[in-house]
Amino acid sequence: MSPATIFNIHLVLGYVPWLLCFGAYIWPRLKLMDRGEAQRAIATLHSFRFFGLVFLLPGVVGPNLPAGFAIFAAYGDFATGLLAMLALLAVRRPPIFWPLVVAFNVVGIVDLVVDYYHGTVLDLPDLAGQLGATYAIPIIYVPVLMITHVAAFYLLARPQHKAAPGAGDEETGGLSSLRSPSSAR
């Protein structure tokens, strides 16, 4: 099998275990959580996206990794990670938290879609060896990022359930202030 074929198999099959895990363990919990808590959990995962800057480190990636892929992937991940961290810092201020949640999800999903586009146009599967130590990022990490962005948008779009007064305080560690402004009234 060619390296390009192996990379494409890895890329596609990277979604299978994450979808199975997400469907069995993560999604059922996210759906039951307060809207703010669910977004906070997703933001926590995405706050690690500063790691994407590794695409710019010589010696970690090969010298022939296309700059058109590496630069956008690195800075798109970095921007998403910073926005997710800002959202986490603003968690107790809903008027700031919610726009940051939307921002990190929009920037993050655009980053991933453009990375897939660049990877296709620049024939990344034929250059998969140039990913070096970062090979695992598109195979293992990107699928869960994409899945959680889709989940975040779904959760943002669905109506917020009216919670009983004080409900969820034990489960959220007293963070009931994360409810959307409309549900806090």
Side-chain angles (χ1 to χ4, degrees):
M1 235 185 280
S2 74
T5 302
I6 293 170
F7 179 77
N8 284 323
I9 290 169
H10 282 162
L11 199 59
V12 171
L13 291 182
Y15 278 86
V16 174
W18 277 120
L19 285 168
L20 293 170
C21 177
F22 191 82
Y25 302 107
I26 301 167
W27 184 239
R29 288 209 54 191
L30 284 176
K31 287 191 314 184
L32 294 176
M33 287 178 162
D34 170 78
R35 185 174 153 186
E37 275 299 303
Q39 293 295 344
R40 184 175 172 203
I42 293 169
T44 300
L45 172 68
H46 287 270
S47 69
F48 287 93
R49 285 181 70 173
F50 64 86
F51 185 72
L53 287 173
V54 74
F55 285 115
L56 303 177
L57 289 176
V60 175
V61 295
N64 296 321
L65 183 65
F69 173 80
I71 292 170
F72 191 88
Y75 288 113
D77 276 345
F78 185 57
T80 303
L82 289 178
L83 288 167
M85 286 181 218
L86 289 172
L88 291 169
L89 290 170
V91 75
R92 297 222 183 253
R93 297 186 175 201
I96 299 169
F97 174 73
W98 291 108
L100 286 168
V101 165
V102 171
F104 93 75
N105 278 292
V106 168
V107 170
I109 206 159
V110 166
D111 169 53
L112 296 178
V113 168
V114 171
D115 290 345
Y116 277 124
Y117 172 77
H118 283 155
T120 302
V121 169
L122 298 170
D123 203 18
L124 192 61
D126 280 334
L127 302 168
Q130 293 299 311
L131 288 167
T134 68
Y135 185 90
I137 292 173
I139 305 307
I140 297 172
Y141 192 40
V142 167
V144 74
L145 297 176
M146 183 65 84
I147 291 164
T148 55
H149 278 310
V150 170
F153 284 123
Y154 174 82
L155 293 170
L156 282 168
R158 80 173 185 180
Q160 176 66 24
H161 301 357
K162 294 281 184 185
D169 283 348
E170 292 172 15
E171 295 170 10
T172 63
L175 295 176
S176 59
S177 64
L178 290 176
R179 290 186 186 96
S180 68
S182 62
S183 68
R185 293 182 197 147

